[in-house]
Amino acid sequence: MNNSRDLKVIYSFIKRKKIRFAGTVVIIGVLTFSLLTGGLILLSLKNGIRCLGERMGADLMVVPLGYEGSAEGILIKGEPSYFYLEREALEELSKADIEGIDRISAQFYLTSSNQGCCDIPVQFIGIDESTDFTINPWIGKLYGGSSGLLNDNQIIVGSDIDIPESGELRFFEKYFKVSAQLEETGTGLDQAVFANMNTIQILFDGAKNKGFTFPDNINPDRGISSIMIRVKDGFEPSQVKHDIRSRFDGFQVIETRSMTNSIESGLGGFKVLLYLLLIMLFVLTVIILEITFALSINERKDRYNLMKMLGATDSQIRKLIIKETLIVSVVGSLVGVGLVSVVLFPFKTLILSSVSIPFLIPSPGTLTGLFFVAAVIGILAGPLSGRFAVRRLG
C-alpha cells in the first residue's frame, strides 16, 4: 500500500464516522490547549517574578510604619496609593553612616483620579534624578540615559498606559508631555507614571486644588514616601535592615528580596498542582483515545480482513492505523494551538489586569518553543494511543 492509497482509505474511514473524528479532534485539541495554557502561566509567572527582582533595583525599602502592604500593592499589583515620611528621615538615615549602605535615594508617591480632572487614574512615582539608582538604569537601558527624558512637565509612562496621538496626558487639568514609555514588566510598575520632583510638585499642587487631602506640612519639598537603599557587596540586606531598625523608630524596613521570595513560596503549591493536573490530563487523554481507537479498530475488523485477502500484510494494516491516529492528532493539535491564539492573546491586557501577582508573557522566541513542544506532545498522544489499541486487539 502506498501513501496516496493509504490517505484515500483513511479519508473513507473518517468520512463514515465524522462525529467520532470530530470528538477525537476535540479531545486532542483540549489537551494541546491545556498544555499551552499551563506552560504559558508557569513561564509568565517565572518571568514576572524575575523581572520584579530586576526592576526593583534596591535591596531595602523604607516606608512609614504600617504601610508595607501599600508599598507592595504599588510595586506588584499596581494599586495606586500614597503615604509620607518627613524628609528629615532621609537626612537622618543618610547621616547615620550605617555600615553596609551603598546608595540611598528617596521617592514621592501620588495618585490621580478619573473624575474629570485626569485622563486616567495612575500611580505617580517622583524620583530624585541626582541620587536615583532604581528607575534611571531602567530608562538608560532603553534610551541610552535619562537625560532630557525627565525634564520639568515631562513624564515617563509604564507599558500599560495608552499614549494619545498628541503625545500628552492630562492630570489635574494640566497637560504633560510623554517623553518615553518603558518596556513591559508584568508588575504594578506597568501602570505607573514617573517624573522628576519638580513635575511631582506641579502635580501635587494640582491635586490639592482639586480637593485631595494630605498630611499637614507635607509636599515634595518637605516630605517623601519611601527611601530606597542599595546594600554594599559583601553585606546582607537582613543585617543592614536590623541596624536601621535598632537605631530608628517609626519606619517599616522591607527587604525587596522577601517580596519575590514570598510570592515564589506562595506559588509553589500552585505550580506543583498545575504540573500534576497536566500530567493527569495527558494520561487521561491517552486512555480515552486508546478506548476510542480500539472501538474503531474493532468495528473495522471485516474491512481489515478484506484488505488482508487482497494482499495487505499485518504490518501494513498497523501502519495504516497509526497514520490515521497521526492525522487526527495533527488536526487536534492545530485546533488547540489556534484556540490559544484566539482566546488568550486578544485578551492579554484583560488577563494581566485581573491577576494580582507579577505576570509577564514570554518573548516571541520562547512562545514559539512552547507552542512547538505543546503541539508535539499533542501529536504524539494519538499514535501512542493507537499503538496501545493495536497491541491489545492483535
Side-chain angles (χ1 to χ4, degrees):
M1 298 178 70
N2 55 39
N3 287 331
S4 61
R5 189 177 302 168
D6 285 353
L7 291 175
K8 289 180 181 178
V9 173
I10 291 170
Y11 176 74
S12 67
F13 287 163
I14 293 173
K15 192 174 181 181
R16 288 191 184 98
K17 296 290 183 179
K18 294 179 183 178
I19 296 178
R20 177 178 291 169
F21 170 74
T24 309
V25 166
V26 169
I27 292 171
I28 297 175
V30 170
L31 171 65
T32 307
F33 177 85
S34 301
L35 290 173
L36 265 176
T37 304
L40 188 60
I41 290 172
L42 291 171
L43 287 176
S44 298
L45 290 174
K46 181 180 178 181
N47 276 357
I49 293 171
R50 174 188 57 79
C51 199
L52 174 63
E54 292 176 354
R55 290 292 179 261
M56 285 297 295
D59 299 302
L60 297 174
M61 183 179 184
V62 179
V63 298
L65 198 62
Y67 283 92
E68 180 178 5
S70 297
E72 292 183 359
I74 292 173
L75 299 173
I76 298 174
K77 303 176 184 178
E79 297 174 349
S81 182
Y82 58 91
F83 42 84
Y84 301 108
L85 290 164
E86 296 285 346
R87 183 167 283 274
E88 284 75 9
L90 174 65
E91 298 171 359
E92 291 174 5
L93 192 56
S94 300
K95 294 176 182 178
D97 195 26
I98 294 176
E99 190 178 15
I101 293 181
D102 182 28
R103 299 185 65 179
I104 187 168
S105 184
Q107 295 184 346
F108 190 95
Y109 301 150
L110 186 67
T111 63
S112 68
S113 168
N114 60 352
Q115 297 179 352
C117 65
C118 309
D119 286 339
I120 48 174
V122 298
Q123 174 70 54
F124 294 107
I125 299 179
I127 63 173
D128 184 347
E129 282 192 278
S130 63
T131 60
D132 178 70
F133 57 88
T134 59
I135 305 301
N136 274 332
W138 185 14
I139 300 171
K141 182 181 177 182
L142 288 174
Y143 297 97
S146 62
S147 178
L149 296 178
L150 279 175
N151 292 334
D152 295 351
N153 292 303
Q154 288 186 337
I155 55 175
I156 293 176
V157 300
S159 63
D160 286 350
I161 296 178
D162 293 327
I163 304 173
E165 292 185 4
S166 64
E168 295 182 333
L169 285 171
R170 181 176 61 98
F171 299 108
F172 307 115
E173 306 299 352
K174 295 183 182 294
Y175 285 87
F176 298 87
K177 180 177 177 56
V178 178
S179 59
Q181 186 168 33
L182 300 176
E183 62 184 356
E184 186 178 12
T185 68
T187 69
L189 298 177
D190 291 338
Q191 294 95 40
V193 170
F194 304 92
N196 66 21
M197 289 300 183
N198 290 336
T199 304
I200 285 292
Q201 181 67 62
I202 296 171
L203 290 162
F204 181 85
D205 293 339
K208 288 189 70 174
N209 292 335
K210 287 297 178 180
F212 279 57
T213 58
F214 300 94
D216 292 339
N217 300 320
I218 286 294
N219 62 46
D221 286 333
R222 296 192 295 271
I224 56 174
S225 295
S226 67
I227 303 172
M228 313 301 284
I229 298 173
R230 177 180 291 172
V231 174
K232 292 179 181 178
D233 292 339
F235 288 84
E236 281 296 321
S238 57
Q239 182 58 49
V240 178
K241 172 183 176 179
H242 178 269
D243 292 342
I244 294 173
R245 294 186 64 179
S246 64
R247 298 175 62 175
F248 296 95
D249 294 327
F251 294 162
Q252 186 82 40
V253 185
I254 306 168
E255 283 189 63
T256 57
R257 184 175 57 190
S258 68
M259 291 187 191
T260 56
N261 289 343
S262 62
I263 294 172
E264 284 187 289
S265 61
L267 292 173
F270 169 76
K271 290 180 180 179
V272 172
L273 179 61
L274 186 56
Y275 279 123
L276 289 175
L277 288 175
L278 292 178
I279 293 171
M280 289 173 61
L281 178 63
F282 178 78
V283 173
L284 183 62
T285 300
V286 170
I287 293 172
I288 293 174
L289 291 177
E290 180 186 353
I291 295 172
T292 303
F293 291 139
L295 291 173
S296 177
I297 293 169
N298 194 47
E299 289 177 357
R300 298 173 186 168
K301 276 186 177 180
D302 292 342
R303 293 189 180 89
Y304 292 142
N305 285 330
L306 179 60
M307 292 168 64
K308 289 181 68 175
M309 292 174 60
L310 294 174
T313 65
D314 289 345
S315 176
Q316 289 175 326
I317 293 175
R318 282 195 295 269
K319 288 180 180 178
L320 179 69
I321 296 171
I322 297 302
K323 284 180 182 179
E324 180 182 356
T325 62
L326 181 61
I327 291 173
V328 174
S329 296
V330 169
V331 175
S333 292
L334 291 176
V335 169
V337 170
L339 195 60
V340 171
S341 302
V342 170
V343 173
L344 291 183
F345 291 108
F347 301 100
K348 183 184 77 169
T349 303
L350 179 62
I351 294 171
L352 292 177
S353 63
S354 64
V355 297
S356 57
I357 51 178
F359 193 89
L360 180 60
I361 301 295
S363 64
T366 303
L367 279 178
T368 301
L370 178 62
F371 271 65
F372 176 78
V373 171
V376 168
I377 294 175
I379 290 171
L380 291 177
L384 182 64
S385 305
R387 283 187 179 276
F388 289 154
V390 169
R391 286 179 182 176
R392 286 182 61 184
L393 293 174

